[in-house]
Amino acid sequence: MVKISPQNVIDKKGNVSAVLLNKPDYEKLNEYIEDLEDSVELSKAIKNSTGFQLWEDFLKDYNSNNGRNNVYRVCRHLHINTINFV
């Protein structure tokens, strides 16, 4: 769990009307949420996968022309515009 120090904004009736976070707390919370979203997506991928490929095998396939074309085709399908492979 992320440790943050929110500040409540109280309206004239004494009700909490807003919550303020300082920038470092906001960034920690945002990173935590992104990590949770990634975890959910990974869980879905594992649950719905039909199999996995070893990284070395992926690189062999990718380095062949056919494999490279397949990767670009999949990325276009997923609307991924930038691919950076080392």
Side-chain angles (χ1 to χ4, degrees):
M1 185 55 109
V2 177
K3 302 282 185 191
I4 57 173
S5 301
Q7 296 177 341
N8 293 330
V9 177
I10 309 297
D11 64 16
K12 294 177 184 178
K13 296 180 181 179
N15 298 318
V16 176
S17 62
V19 177
L20 298 176
L21 293 175
N22 61 35
K23 188 171 181 190
D25 281 354
Y26 169 79
E27 290 171 351
K28 283 193 295 187
L29 186 60
N30 196 42
E31 184 176 332
Y32 183 73
I33 290 168
E34 289 175 0
D35 289 346
L36 287 174
E37 290 172 339
D38 291 346
S39 177
V40 168
E41 290 301 315
L42 178 59
S43 294
K44 286 179 185 177
I46 291 170
K47 180 180 177 185
N48 297 325
S49 71
T50 57
F52 290 93
Q53 185 177 23
L54 294 175
W55 179 248
E56 294 80 11
D57 294 339
F58 169 80
L59 286 178
K60 286 178 192 172
D61 187 35
Y62 174 76
N63 287 326
S64 73
N65 285 332
N66 189 37
R68 191 172 295 242
N69 291 336
N70 288 339
V71 169
Y72 285 116
R73 184 174 41 79
V74 168
C75 290
R76 280 194 309 273
H77 175 73
L78 297 174
H79 305 289
I80 298 172
N81 297 324
T82 305
I83 307 169
N84 294 317
F85 290 104
V86 179

